[in-house]
Amino acid sequence: MYAALLPQVRALLEGETDWIANLANVVAALREAFGFFWIGFYRVKDGELVLGPFQGPVACTRIAFDRGVCGHAYRTGATVIVPDVELFPGHIACSSLSKSEIVVPVRNSLGEICAVLDVDSDRLDDFSEEDRAGLESLVGLLANHSR
Ligand code: SME
């Protein structure tokens, strides 16, 4: 499914320079393809992570760099897979229905982390190495469309 999604997303981004429009279409494409419970971006802004385009229930708007799975992914610069959110120290529960989660750092063309992609599932242990590779490739497409 990721192999099918990548060219679609590449085509969606092509020629569009607006950062928010591109993030919005990426979450919508992911939602349509996989139907995950919550999919969204937190952008690096004003020294913290600020909620960007998302699909799913309302979520917390600001996350400090030293908080949550999102902050952890930002600080380490690496994708974090959390099979059971209750076992992750400092996990921020935006919804009690979220059971597992993956957070992928998004880099701009300078290699700086400018956002993180957060995908939540209402099922335990729902994210695999395939998701890691697929989502990392997907956000890699954003590098030349970021600011
Ligand atoms: N669980 C995330 C917070 C964002 S919500 O899940 C949408 C975290 O611990 O960083």
Side-chain angles (χ1 to χ4, degrees):
M1 286 182 79
Y2 285 108
L5 195 57
L6 276 166
Q8 280 177 35
V9 170
R10 193 177 287 120
L12 273 175
L13 299 177
E14 181 128 12
E16 179 51 70
T17 56
D18 187 88
W19 179 226
I20 298 294
N22 286 330
L23 296 182
N25 261 341
V26 169
V27 287
L30 275 170
R31 171 77 189 194
E32 276 194 30
F34 295 103
F36 290 124
F37 172 70
W38 196 92
I39 306 160
F41 287 97
Y42 281 90
R43 292 172 301 144
V44 176
K45 190 168 181 263
D46 308 330
E48 58 189 345
L49 297 168
V50 182
L51 185 64
F54 70 97
Q55 300 238 340
V58 293
C60 41
T61 53
R62 287 171 189 267
I63 298 176
F65 290 150
D66 60 353
R67 299 279 323 278
V69 185
C70 290
H72 188 76
Y74 173 78
R75 286 196 317 280
T76 59
T79 297
V80 186
I81 294 178
V82 181
D84 181 348
V85 296
E86 287 190 11
L87 301 179
F88 186 94
H91 167 258
I92 301 165
C94 290
S95 163
S96 60
L97 294 175
S98 173
K99 300 280 190 261
S100 62
E101 162 162 15
I102 182 169
V103 181
V104 184
V106 182
R107 292 178 187 275
N108 62 20
S109 54
L110 302 174
E112 302 158 341
I113 300 177
C114 54
V116 298
L117 170 66
D118 179 2
V119 185
D120 290 16
S121 173
D122 54 5
R123 289 184 295 177
L124 280 170
D125 199 12
D126 210 14
F127 300 102
S128 64
E129 288 304 315
E130 244 177 301
D131 292 300
R132 179 202 299 269
L135 293 173
E136 285 178 354
S137 304
L138 204 68
V139 303
L141 299 176
L142 284 165
N144 292 322
H145 298 271
S146 62
R147 49 153 213 207

